[in-house]
Amino acid sequence: MLHSASPTSYVPPERLTEPAICPACDAKLTLSHGVIHLGHYDYDGKVRAGLIWTCSDKCFLSWEHSSFMGKC
Ligand SMILES: [Zn+2]
């Protein structure tokens, strides 16, 4: 199941204008223009779940695929 949410649900208003770099495509944009998903990542060799910011839903899927799904 794919969960996505607007950063405004999680990021304090004063931080929404901060620049961020998409981990999937390296695009630079502000936090308010991206999306937040519940994703998975590798932490000391263990899979953890957490909130992941990317510039778009498409980037989230490619990021999750390359760094998590490929290891299963
Ligand atoms: Zn991106």
Side-chain angles (χ1 to χ4, degrees):
M1 190 186 301
L2 181 64
H3 295 278
S4 70
S6 167
T8 55
S9 301
Y10 299 98
V11 180
E14 67 272 19
R15 292 198 56 206
L16 284 173
T17 56
E18 289 186 6
I21 298 175
C22 176
C25 73
D26 292 332
K28 294 187 180 72
L29 66 170
T30 57
L31 286 173
S32 62
H33 287 98
V35 293
I36 288 179
H37 287 273
L38 179 62
H40 301 86
Y41 57 95
D42 189 318
Y43 183 82
D44 283 348
K46 295 175 184 171
V47 175
R48 301 279 186 99
L51 293 174
I52 308 294
W53 179 94
T54 53
C55 76
S56 66
D57 290 341
K58 180 171 173 285
C59 275
F60 172 76
L61 291 174
S62 62
W63 181 87
E64 177 95 319
H65 183 265
S66 62
S67 59
F68 171 67
M69 296 175 80
K71 292 181 179 176
C72 287

